[in-house]
Amino acid sequence: MKPVEDVINDLQCRALAYEIIFQSLFTELPQFFKDKAIENIELNFKAFESGTQSESGKAKLDAAKAVASRITGVKLKSSS
C-alpha cells in the first residue's frame, strides 16, 4: 500500500494534468462553443451552490470555480 503522501502527490499531479489538458482543448474551441460552455459551467456551479449548505462545501466550490476560471480564461459570474 502506498503512503498517504504518495497518493496525495499522485492526485495533485493528475489534477494539474487534467487542468492543462482541458485548458488546451478549451482554447481550441470556436468562440460560439466557448460561450455556450461558459454559460453551462455557470449554470452548473449555480445549481451546486444552491444545494451546498456547509462552509467547507462552499469553500471547495469557490476553489473549483477558481480552477474553472483559469481553464476557461473567464471570470465566472457569482451566484449571488
Side-chain angles (χ1 to χ4, degrees), residues 2-17:
K2 280 183 167 182
V4 173
E5 293 81 14
D6 289 348
V7 173
I8 291 170
N9 185 56
D10 184 52
L11 290 171
Q12 289 172 332
C13 291
R14 286 174 185 261
L16 180 58

Side-chain angles (χ1 to χ4, degrees), residues 13-78:
C13 291
R14 286 174 185 261
L16 180 58
Y18 293 142
E19 184 175 338
I20 291 167
I21 290 166
F22 282 123
Q23 188 175 42
S24 299
L25 293 170
F26 192 83
T27 60
E28 294 300 317
L29 292 174
Q31 191 60 46
F32 171 79
F33 291 116
K34 288 179 186 179
D35 293 342
K36 294 299 283 180
I38 290 165
E39 182 181 315
N40 194 32
I41 290 166
E42 288 174 337
L43 287 172
N44 285 327
F45 270 109
K46 185 176 181 180
F48 273 98
E49 288 166 350
S50 70
T52 302
Q53 304 302 320
S54 74
E55 290 304 313
S56 65
K58 290 177 184 179
K60 287 179 184 174
L61 277 170
D62 285 343
K65 190 179 278 189
V67 171
S69 290
R70 275 197 311 267
I71 290 170
T72 61
V74 173
K75 181 165 175 27
L76 299 173
K77 295 177 188 168
S78 177

